[in-house]
Amino acid sequence: MTSFPNRPAILVVDDLKDTADSFATVLDLLGYDTRVAYSPREVGRLVGEGFQPDAVVLDIDLGVQSGFDVARELCAALGRRPVLVALTGHQGLEARAKREGFDHHFLKPANPSDVAGVLPH
């Protein structure tokens, strides 16, 4: 993805590579500074390298770890809470996502342009 230092930084996290890449491509085309992580480990690596996302589009079911746990760990590592957008293929998680501090919730398959509408500009 292209780096735009004066544009909002977005982290897309999904263990489904095609989903993550398609979201990142659309957001990149919309001018966001976009990075992709396919696992919780990659999230840690990006943050460790200094990436400071303004918002995170995060799959709730990452297989090896819950997106809820990843969000908590990410916020702790950043020392702040970016805009958190839950993206999930499981119905019935919207209330939990709100309780866990997510600002927005989308059910897969979500339109990347709709998700972009809730991201910082």
Side-chain angles (χ1 to χ4, degrees):
M1 299 294 125
T2 306
S3 178
F4 295 105
N6 296 322
R7 303 205 185 164
I10 309 298
L11 177 58
V12 177
V13 184
D14 199 314
D15 59 336
L16 297 175
K17 190 176 186 314
D18 289 342
T19 300
D21 291 346
S22 65
F23 265 86
T25 297
V26 170
L27 296 176
D28 199 47
L29 291 171
L30 292 172
Y32 288 97
D33 180 9
T34 310
R35 301 290 190 288
V36 175
Y38 307 114
S39 70
R41 178 177 283 160
E42 289 182 44
V43 172
R45 180 186 55 78
L46 287 169
V47 171
E49 291 173 354
F51 185 65
Q52 297 285 310
D54 297 302
V56 181
V57 178
L58 179 58
D59 183 19
I60 297 301
D61 183 6
L62 293 170
V64 298
Q65 187 176 5
S66 160
F68 299 122
D69 293 334
V70 172
R72 279 191 294 279
E73 292 172 9
L74 175 64
C75 292
L78 293 172
R80 62 180 178 79
R81 193 178 70 75
V83 173
L84 295 173
V85 180
L87 184 64
T88 182
H90 302 286
Q91 292 188 1
L93 292 177
E94 186 169 6
R96 180 172 178 200
K98 287 185 185 238
R99 283 193 313 272
E100 296 275 351
F102 280 79
D103 300 288
H104 306 281
H105 176 273
F106 288 89
L107 191 60
K108 290 181 183 179
N111 183 322
S113 296
D114 292 342
V115 174
V118 302
L119 297 176
H121 298 290

